[in-house]
Amino acid sequence: MEYIQIAKLNKTFGLKGEFRAYSLTDFPEERFKKGKTMFFLDPKTSETTPFTLSSYRKKDPFVFIGFKEIQTIEEAEKHLGKFLVIPKEEAVIPNGAFHVFDLLDCEVYSEEGEKIGVVIDIFSYSPVKNLRIKREGKNDLQVPFVDQFIKEVDVEAKRIVIHVIEGLL
């Protein structure tokens, strides 16, 4: 089964086994529904374990979540560093939207049609996602995924057009 990551369990919250997790989804209200079965993914072993969401509240960029099967801080601590994932087929998105991981391997072009490189990673150190673009014979390039830079995204054609400003390349 293929999964998508929707949060990273990075800290416990309170004594009753809740987590403060970093949200990795743009659709938290759709993904975090009470009673929904989700999975913890251990990044070291790739093992998944099902859990039932019992509580949810949001305070960007974090979500505070609890699970029926975890009732103490000691139980929660065993899962820190794991990812919260759901099956890809459950990750329905609105028309015109796309999953962030769909940007991987997209070719990146300037508005003038010059090929810049290929997206090899998407990361976020702030509220803004960034594309890491591998360039032929040059250092990798990092471009913020914001309207000022990203002019066109076609995930079907695996093509992204960006606005190049002075000093970017």
Side-chain angles (χ1 to χ4, degrees):
M1 182 179 300
E2 195 172 352
Y3 296 98
I4 65 161
Q5 298 174 357
I6 61 171
K8 181 169 185 184
L9 305 172
N10 60 355
K11 192 171 185 179
T12 58
F13 182 78
L15 300 175
K16 297 185 179 182
E18 289 186 311
F19 295 93
R20 183 191 80 176
Y22 183 71
S23 178
L24 300 171
T25 178
D26 290 331
F27 307 103
E29 284 74 22
E30 296 296 316
R31 305 292 181 245
F32 299 102
K33 293 191 184 243
K34 292 179 187 176
K36 185 174 183 174
T37 299
M38 304 175 158
F39 299 84
F40 289 0
L41 170 68
D42 186 326
K44 295 175 187 163
T45 65
S46 297
E47 182 180 312
T48 57
T49 310
F51 287 90
T52 307
L53 189 69
S54 61
S55 65
Y56 159 77
R57 65 187 178 287
K58 181 173 94 164
K59 184 167 169 74
D60 285 334
F62 301 105
V63 291
F64 294 85
I65 50 180
F67 296 90
K68 185 175 124 184
E69 297 84 357
I70 299 174
Q71 298 297 311
T72 67
I73 189 171
E74 292 80 15
E75 291 172 30
E77 286 172 339
K78 296 174 189 175
H79 301 288
L80 291 177
K82 293 182 180 178
F83 288 94
L84 186 60
V85 299
I86 59 173
K88 186 176 180 180
E89 60 270 8
E90 290 181 19
V92 179
I93 55 176
N95 283 340
F98 48 84
H99 294 291
V100 172
F101 57 80
D102 288 335
L103 300 175
L104 288 172
D105 301 322
C106 281
E107 292 184 337
V108 179
Y109 293 86
S110 69
E111 291 171 294
E112 291 76 32
E114 176 188 347
K115 183 175 179 183
I116 296 171
V118 177
V119 177
I120 59 170
D121 195 10
I122 299 110
F123 60 92
S124 180
Y125 292 122
S126 66
V128 176
K129 291 176 179 50
N130 293 275
L131 302 179
R132 182 172 172 198
I133 302 167
K134 176 100 175 134
R135 299 186 297 168
E136 194 79 26
K138 298 179 182 174
N139 290 337
D140 292 352
L141 179 67
Q142 296 178 14
V143 176
F145 197 77
V146 294
D147 290 343
Q148 291 97 330
F149 288 103
I150 308 300
K151 296 303 174 186
E152 180 185 325
V153 176
D154 184 342
V155 292
E156 295 294 320
K158 299 299 274 180
R159 179 183 171 91
I160 298 172
V161 176
I162 66 169
H163 175 68
V164 178
I165 62 169
E166 188 176 329
L168 181 65
L169 303 177

